[in-house]
mmCIF file with all atom_site columns, all heavy atoms in Angstrom:
data_model
loop_
_atom_site.group_PDB
_atom_site.id
_atom_site.type_symbol
_atom_site.label_atom_id
_atom_site.label_alt_id
_atom_site.label_comp_id
_atom_site.label_asym_id
_atom_site.label_entity_id
_atom_site.label_seq_id
_atom_site.pdbx_PDB_ins_code
_atom_site.Cartn_x
_atom_site.Cartn_y
_atom_site.Cartn_z
_atom_site.occupancy
_atom_site.B_iso_or_equiv
_atom_site.pdbx_formal_charge
_atom_site.auth_seq_id
_atom_site.auth_comp_id
_atom_site.auth_asym_id
_atom_site.auth_atom_id
_atom_site.pdbx_PDB_model_num
ATOM 1   N N   . LEU C 1 315 ? -5.790  19.689 -4.679  1.00 0.00 ? 315 LEU C N   1
ATOM 2   C CA  . LEU C 1 315 ? -6.040  21.185 -4.720  1.00 0.00 ? 315 LEU C CA  1
ATOM 3   C C   . LEU C 1 315 ? -7.454  21.546 -4.325  1.00 0.00 ? 315 LEU C C   1
ATOM 4   O O   . LEU C 1 315 ? -8.357  20.837 -4.753  1.00 0.00 ? 315 LEU C O   1
ATOM 5   C CB  . LEU C 1 315 ? -5.752  21.680 -6.115  1.00 0.00 ? 315 LEU C CB  1
ATOM 6   C CG  . LEU C 1 315 ? -4.249  21.649 -6.582  1.00 0.00 ? 315 LEU C CG  1
ATOM 7   C CD1 . LEU C 1 315 ? -4.129  22.185 -7.978  1.00 0.00 ? 315 LEU C CD1 1
ATOM 8   C CD2 . LEU C 1 315 ? -3.452  22.542 -5.644  1.00 0.00 ? 315 LEU C CD2 1
ATOM 9   N N   . LYS C 1 316 ? -7.616  22.612 -3.621  1.00 0.00 ? 316 LYS C N   1
ATOM 10  C CA  . LYS C 1 316 ? -8.934  23.021 -3.184  1.00 0.00 ? 316 LYS C CA  1
ATOM 11  C C   . LYS C 1 316 ? -9.497  24.186 -4.019  1.00 0.00 ? 316 LYS C C   1
ATOM 12  O O   . LYS C 1 316 ? -10.474 24.800 -3.765  1.00 0.00 ? 316 LYS C O   1
ATOM 13  C CB  . LYS C 1 316 ? -8.900  23.460 -1.721  1.00 0.00 ? 316 LYS C CB  1
ATOM 14  C CG  . LYS C 1 316 ? -8.461  22.408 -0.742  1.00 0.00 ? 316 LYS C CG  1
ATOM 15  C CD  . LYS C 1 316 ? -9.452  21.279 -0.631  1.00 0.00 ? 316 LYS C CD  1
ATOM 16  C CE  . LYS C 1 316 ? -9.114  20.339 0.481   1.00 0.00 ? 316 LYS C CE  1
ATOM 17  N NZ  . LYS C 1 316 ? -8.044  19.402 0.216   1.00 0.00 ? 316 LYS C NZ  1
ATOM 18  N N   . GLU C 1 317 ? -8.764  24.480 -5.152  1.00 0.00 ? 317 GLU C N   1
ATOM 19  C CA  . GLU C 1 317 ? -9.177  25.694 -5.972  1.00 0.00 ? 317 GLU C CA  1
ATOM 20  C C   . GLU C 1 317 ? -10.130 25.238 -7.080  1.00 0.00 ? 317 GLU C C   1
ATOM 21  O O   . GLU C 1 317 ? -10.518 24.109 -7.170  1.00 0.00 ? 317 GLU C O   1
ATOM 22  C CB  . GLU C 1 317 ? -7.937  26.378 -6.506  1.00 0.00 ? 317 GLU C CB  1
ATOM 23  C CG  . GLU C 1 317 ? -7.096  25.460 -7.395  1.00 0.00 ? 317 GLU C CG  1
ATOM 24  C CD  . GLU C 1 317 ? -5.635  25.811 -7.408  1.00 0.00 ? 317 GLU C CD  1
ATOM 25  O OE1 . GLU C 1 317 ? -5.003  25.558 -6.346  1.00 0.00 ? 317 GLU C OE1 1
ATOM 26  O OE2 . GLU C 1 317 ? -5.156  26.282 -8.413  1.00 0.00 ? 317 GLU C OE2 1
ATOM 27  N N   . ALA C 1 318 ? -10.500 26.248 -7.863  1.00 0.00 ? 318 ALA C N   1
ATOM 28  C CA  . ALA C 1 318 ? -11.453 25.979 -8.939  1.00 0.00 ? 318 ALA C CA  1
ATOM 29  C C   . ALA C 1 318 ? -10.844 25.098 -10.059 1.00 0.00 ? 318 ALA C C   1
ATOM 30  O O   . ALA C 1 318 ? -9.627  25.102 -10.271 1.00 0.00 ? 318 ALA C O   1
ATOM 31  C CB  . ALA C 1 318 ? -11.901 27.281 -9.530  1.00 0.00 ? 318 ALA C CB  1
ATOM 32  N N   . VAL C 1 319 ? -11.691 24.353 -10.720 1.00 0.00 ? 319 VAL C N   1
ATOM 33  C CA  . VAL C 1 319 ? -11.277 23.500 -11.815 1.00 0.00 ? 319 VAL C CA  1
ATOM 34  C C   . VAL C 1 319 ? -10.775 24.431 -12.945 1.00 0.00 ? 319 VAL C C   1
ATOM 35  O O   . VAL C 1 319 ? -11.384 25.438 -13.227 1.00 0.00 ? 319 VAL C O   1
ATOM 36  C CB  . VAL C 1 319 ? -12.432 22.668 -12.346 1.00 0.00 ? 319 VAL C CB  1
ATOM 37  C CG1 . VAL C 1 319 ? -12.101 21.896 -13.636 1.00 0.00 ? 319 VAL C CG1 1
ATOM 38  C CG2 . VAL C 1 319 ? -12.865 21.681 -11.269 1.00 0.00 ? 319 VAL C CG2 1
ATOM 39  N N   . PRO C 1 320 ? -9.597  24.070 -13.557 1.00 0.00 ? 320 PRO C N   1
ATOM 40  C CA  . PRO C 1 320 ? -9.084  24.951 -14.689 1.00 0.00 ? 320 PRO C CA  1
ATOM 41  C C   . PRO C 1 320 ? -10.076 25.229 -15.798 1.00 0.00 ? 320 PRO C C   1
ATOM 42  O O   . PRO C 1 320 ? -10.882 24.320 -16.148 1.00 0.00 ? 320 PRO C O   1
ATOM 43  C CB  . PRO C 1 320 ? -7.859  24.182 -15.211 1.00 0.00 ? 320 PRO C CB  1
ATOM 44  C CG  . PRO C 1 320 ? -7.592  23.058 -14.266 1.00 0.00 ? 320 PRO C CG  1
ATOM 45  C CD  . PRO C 1 320 ? -8.798  22.882 -13.369 1.00 0.00 ? 320 PRO C CD  1
ATOM 46  N N   . GLY C 1 321 ? -9.984  26.402 -16.380 1.00 0.00 ? 321 GLY C N   1
ATOM 47  C CA  . GLY C 1 321 ? -10.964 26.856 -17.400 1.00 0.00 ? 321 GLY C CA  1
ATOM 48  C C   . GLY C 1 321 ? -10.999 25.940 -18.637 1.00 0.00 ? 321 GLY C C   1
ATOM 49  O O   . GLY C 1 321 ? -12.087 25.726 -19.192 1.00 0.00 ? 321 GLY C O   1
ATOM 50  N N   . ASN C 1 322 ? -9.824  25.319 -19.041 1.00 0.00 ? 322 ASN C N   1
ATOM 51  C CA  . ASN C 1 322 ? -9.859  24.567 -20.278 1.00 0.00 ? 322 ASN C CA  1
ATOM 52  C C   . ASN C 1 322 ? -10.528 23.199 -20.152 1.00 0.00 ? 322 ASN C C   1
ATOM 53  O O   . ASN C 1 322 ? -10.651 22.490 -21.130 1.00 0.00 ? 322 ASN C O   1
ATOM 54  C CB  . ASN C 1 322 ? -8.429  24.391 -20.781 1.00 0.00 ? 322 ASN C CB  1
ATOM 55  C CG  . ASN C 1 322 ? -7.533  23.653 -19.797 1.00 0.00 ? 322 ASN C CG  1
ATOM 56  O OD1 . ASN C 1 322 ? -7.815  23.629 -18.577 1.00 0.00 ? 322 ASN C OD1 1
ATOM 57  N ND2 . ASN C 1 322 ? -6.422  23.102 -20.294 1.00 0.00 ? 322 ASN C ND2 1
ATOM 58  N N   . ILE C 1 323 ? -11.002 22.818 -18.936 1.00 0.00 ? 323 ILE C N   1
ATOM 59  C CA  . ILE C 1 323 ? -11.688 21.536 -18.859 1.00 0.00 ? 323 ILE C CA  1
ATOM 60  C C   . ILE C 1 323 ? -13.060 21.734 -18.153 1.00 0.00 ? 323 ILE C C   1
ATOM 61  O O   . ILE C 1 323 ? -13.699 20.785 -17.708 1.00 0.00 ? 323 ILE C O   1
ATOM 62  C CB  . ILE C 1 323 ? -10.862 20.415 -18.100 1.00 0.00 ? 323 ILE C CB  1
ATOM 63  C CG1 . ILE C 1 323 ? -10.500 20.851 -16.715 1.00 0.00 ? 323 ILE C CG1 1
ATOM 64  C CG2 . ILE C 1 323 ? -9.699  19.972 -18.935 1.00 0.00 ? 323 ILE C CG2 1
ATOM 65  C CD1 . ILE C 1 323 ? -9.897  19.731 -15.830 1.00 0.00 ? 323 ILE C CD1 1
ATOM 66  N N   . ARG C 1 324 ? -13.540 23.002 -18.050 1.00 0.00 ? 324 ARG C N   1
ATOM 67  C CA  . ARG C 1 324 ? -14.843 23.161 -17.402 1.00 0.00 ? 324 ARG C CA  1
ATOM 68  C C   . ARG C 1 324 ? -15.987 22.777 -18.279 1.00 0.00 ? 324 ARG C C   1
ATOM 69  O O   . ARG C 1 324 ? -16.932 22.142 -17.815 1.00 0.00 ? 324 ARG C O   1
ATOM 70  C CB  . ARG C 1 324 ? -15.019 24.679 -17.037 1.00 0.00 ? 324 ARG C CB  1
ATOM 71  C CG  . ARG C 1 324 ? -14.191 25.037 -15.754 1.00 0.00 ? 324 ARG C CG  1
ATOM 72  C CD  . ARG C 1 324 ? -14.366 26.501 -15.382 1.00 0.00 ? 324 ARG C CD  1
ATOM 73  N NE  . ARG C 1 324 ? -13.333 26.968 -14.515 1.00 0.00 ? 324 ARG C NE  1
ATOM 74  C CZ  . ARG C 1 324 ? -12.932 28.163 -14.448 1.00 0.00 ? 324 ARG C CZ  1
ATOM 75  N NH1 . ARG C 1 324 ? -13.438 29.101 -15.148 1.00 0.00 ? 324 ARG C NH1 1
ATOM 76  N NH2 . ARG C 1 324 ? -11.921 28.528 -13.606 1.00 0.00 ? 324 ARG C NH2 1
ATOM 77  N N   . ARG C 1 325 ? -15.964 23.151 -19.510 1.00 0.00 ? 325 ARG C N   1
ATOM 78  C CA  . ARG C 1 325 ? -17.022 22.681 -20.440 1.00 0.00 ? 325 ARG C CA  1
ATOM 79  C C   . ARG C 1 325 ? -16.839 21.236 -20.722 1.00 0.00 ? 325 ARG C C   1
ATOM 80  O O   . ARG C 1 325 ? -15.745 20.796 -20.959 1.00 0.00 ? 325 ARG C O   1
ATOM 81  C CB  . ARG C 1 325 ? -16.971 23.511 -21.739 1.00 0.00 ? 325 ARG C CB  1
ATOM 82  C CG  . ARG C 1 325 ? -17.424 24.911 -21.622 1.00 0.00 ? 325 ARG C CG  1
ATOM 83  C CD  . ARG C 1 325 ? -17.910 25.491 -22.940 1.00 0.00 ? 325 ARG C CD  1
ATOM 84  N NE  . ARG C 1 325 ? -18.231 26.897 -22.778 1.00 0.00 ? 325 ARG C NE  1
ATOM 85  C CZ  . ARG C 1 325 ? -19.410 27.348 -22.310 1.00 0.00 ? 325 ARG C CZ  1
ATOM 86  N NH1 . ARG C 1 325 ? -20.285 26.449 -21.868 1.00 0.00 ? 325 ARG C NH1 1
ATOM 87  N NH2 . ARG C 1 325 ? -19.630 28.595 -22.172 1.00 0.00 ? 325 ARG C NH2 1
ATOM 88  N N   . ALA C 1 326 ? -17.976 20.467 -20.723 1.00 0.00 ? 326 ALA C N   1
ATOM 89  C CA  . ALA C 1 326 ? -17.915 19.079 -20.878 1.00 0.00 ? 326 ALA C CA  1
ATOM 90  C C   . ALA C 1 326 ? -17.243 18.667 -22.177 1.00 0.00 ? 326 ALA C C   1
ATOM 91  O O   . ALA C 1 326 ? -16.343 17.745 -22.177 1.00 0.00 ? 326 ALA C O   1
ATOM 92  C CB  . ALA C 1 326 ? -19.363 18.468 -20.845 1.00 0.00 ? 326 ALA C CB  1
ATOM 93  N N   . GLU C 1 327 ? -17.566 19.284 -23.290 1.00 0.00 ? 327 GLU C N   1
ATOM 94  C CA  . GLU C 1 327 ? -16.974 18.944 -24.535 1.00 0.00 ? 327 GLU C CA  1
ATOM 95  C C   . GLU C 1 327 ? -15.505 19.232 -24.604 1.00 0.00 ? 327 GLU C C   1
ATOM 96  O O   . GLU C 1 327 ? -14.693 18.493 -25.235 1.00 0.00 ? 327 GLU C O   1
ATOM 97  C CB  . GLU C 1 327 ? -17.707 19.604 -25.772 1.00 0.00 ? 327 GLU C CB  1
ATOM 98  C CG  . GLU C 1 327 ? -17.895 21.109 -25.668 1.00 0.00 ? 327 GLU C CG  1
ATOM 99  C CD  . GLU C 1 327 ? -19.164 21.486 -25.003 1.00 0.00 ? 327 GLU C CD  1
ATOM 100 O OE1 . GLU C 1 327 ? -19.561 20.835 -23.993 1.00 0.00 ? 327 GLU C OE1 1
ATOM 101 O OE2 . GLU C 1 327 ? -19.811 22.440 -25.439 1.00 0.00 ? 327 GLU C OE2 1
ATOM 102 N N   . HIS C 1 328 ? -15.027 20.341 -23.943 1.00 0.00 ? 328 HIS C N   1
ATOM 103 C CA  . HIS C 1 328 ? -13.621 20.628 -23.855 1.00 0.00 ? 328 HIS C CA  1
ATOM 104 C C   . HIS C 1 328 ? -12.869 19.552 -23.058 1.00 0.00 ? 328 HIS C C   1
ATOM 105 O O   . HIS C 1 328 ? -11.737 19.161 -23.447 1.00 0.00 ? 328 HIS C O   1
ATOM 106 C CB  . HIS C 1 328 ? -13.399 21.975 -23.262 1.00 0.00 ? 328 HIS C CB  1
ATOM 107 C CG  . HIS C 1 328 ? -13.899 23.134 -24.095 1.00 0.00 ? 328 HIS C CG  1
ATOM 108 N ND1 . HIS C 1 328 ? -13.936 24.434 -23.679 1.00 0.00 ? 328 HIS C ND1 1
ATOM 109 C CD2 . HIS C 1 328 ? -14.373 23.191 -25.380 1.00 0.00 ? 328 HIS C CD2 1
ATOM 110 C CE1 . HIS C 1 328 ? -14.399 25.241 -24.581 1.00 0.00 ? 328 HIS C CE1 1
ATOM 111 N NE2 . HIS C 1 328 ? -14.739 24.458 -25.607 1.00 0.00 ? 328 HIS C NE2 1
#
Side-chain angles (χ1 to χ4, degrees):
L315 289 179
K316 300 290 188 286
E317 60 211 70
V319 171
N322 60 339
I323 58 171
R324 282 182 200 153
R325 287 202 184 281
E327 52 271 39
H328 292 173

